[in-house]
Amino acid sequence: MTEVKKVKSILYVEDEKAIQEELAEVIETFCETLYTADDGIQALKYFDAYKPDIIITDIRMPIMDGIEMCKKIKEKNQNIPIIFTTAFSDVDYFQDAIELQVEGYLLKPISLELLEKKILNIIDNIELKKELFEKEQMLLQSSKLAAIGEMLSNIAHQWRQPLSAISTTATGMKLLKEMDNLPDEQFYKNCDVINDNTQYLSNTIEDFKNFFSPKNQLKVFNLHEYLNKCIDLVSASFDNNLIKTVKEIDEKINSFGDPNQLLQAIINILNNAKDALKDASTLHEKLVFIFTVKEDKDNHIVITIKDNAGGIPENILPKIFEPYFTTKGSKHGTGLGLYITHTIITKNLKGTIKVENEIFEYEEKSYKGAKFTITLPMIK
Ligand SMILES: Nc1ncnc2c1ncn2[C@@H]1O[C@H](COP(=O)(O)OP(=O)(O)OP(=O)(O)O)[C@@H](O)[C@H]1O
Ligand SMILES: [Mg+2]
C-alpha cells in the first residue's frame, strides 16, 4: 500500500460538533497532529501556538466568523493554505471569501472525495515549494563557491598595502633603534600605524567570514556601510581593469534583511559590469555608477547601478535573470549570477529589480550602458 502524504499539522475549525467529528476523522489521515477548534477566536489561539501547515474552516461560526479569522491569519502569514467549507446559506459571505484568495471552497454537505483531493493538492504544492526553496538555497551556496576564487584575489590585493605598511614601519623602527636614534614620539606613532593596519586586516577577515557564513543573519543594516563593502570587495579586479567607481550613497539609509545576501546580489551586478567593461576596449574611461535615493512616500530605497560598457543587447534583455543564461560560454560564466541576484532581492529582501539600457551624460561626454534599478523596503 502506498503511504498517504502527510503534513505536520492541520487546524480544522467547525462549530457543529457532528460535522466536526465526521470530517476530523478524514482530515486526520493527512497530518501527524490535527487541532480542532469550535470558533474563530479559539482557532486564532491555536494558529499562534501551533503554526499549522493547512487550515480548513467553516465560514459561519459564533464569536468570530471564518472570514474575519482568515483575514487576521493572512495578515500574519500570507501564504498559509486555507480551505473554506461553506453552506449555500452563506452566500452573503461568498464575495469576501473570494477576495481572501484561499486555496479552495467546498460546499456542504462536504464530499469526502473532493476534500481528500483538495488536501492532497495542497500537500503537493507545499512539497513543491519546499523543493524549490531547497534548490534555490543550493544554487545560492554554489554561486558563493564560485565567488570564492574572485574573493581570494581580492583579499590578496586588499592586504598587500597594509602588510607592506606594517613591514616598512617595523624595519624602519629597527634601523632607527640600531642607530640609537628612535625618539619616543616616533616609537609611539609607529606602534599606532602598525596597530591601525592590523586592525584593518582583521576587519577584512571578519567581512569575508561573514560573507561565507551559511547562516542567514536578519537584521537592520546601514546601506551605505554595505555598499562600500561591496565596492571594497571588487576593488582589486576593478583596479586591474582600470575601472573607476562613481558613487553617491546616502549615509543614513537603513534596510532590513541579511546584509551579506545583499552584498552578494550587488557584487554579481558589479562583476558583470567589470566583465562588460573589460571587453569594451575602445572606451577611454571605464565607469561604474552606484547611486541611492530615498523615496519616502513609498517607504522605499532605490539603488541604481550602471556602467558605460554599451548596454545589453535588446534581444537578450528579457532573459538575463533566467538561471543558466550566459553569453560568456561555460568556461567564463555559469549564468547564475543575475538569477541569484534576482532571487535574493525579490524573495529574501522583499524588493524589486529591473534592468534597462540607458544613454547618459557624464562630465560632458555621452555614454551608453546597462542600468540595474533595485528597490528595497526602508526601515526608519
Ligand atoms: N552590465 C552588463 N553589460 C552587458 N551585459 C550584461 C551585463 N550584465 C549582464 N549582462 C549579460 O547578462 C548575462 C547573464 O548574466 P549573469 O550574471 O546571470 O551570468 P554570467 O555573468 O554570464 O555568469 P556568472 O554566473 O558567472 O555570473 C551575461 O552573460 C551578459 O551577457
Ligand atoms: Mg555574472
Side-chain angles (χ1 to χ4, degrees), residues 72-100:
K72 291 205 182 327
I73 285 177
K74 287 243 160 178
E75 274 167 23
K76 295 179 191 192
N77 177 358
Q78 220 196 331
N79 299 321
I80 178 108
I82 297 175
I83 301 173
F84 276 129
T85 57
T86 64
F88 264 127
S89 53
D90 293 341
V91 73
D92 299 349
Y93 294 104
F94 278 12
Q95 191 54 37
D96 287 339
I98 289 166
E99 275 166 18
L100 270 172

Side-chain angles (χ1 to χ4, degrees), residues 190-203:
N190 286 358
C191 285
D192 285 345
V193 170
I194 292 177
N195 250 331
D196 289 350
N197 276 290
T198 39
Q199 197 57 48
Y200 174 81
L201 294 177
S202 106
N203 286 347

Side-chain angles (χ1 to χ4, degrees), residues 268 272 328 337:
N268 289 345
N272 284 342
K328 297 174 189 170

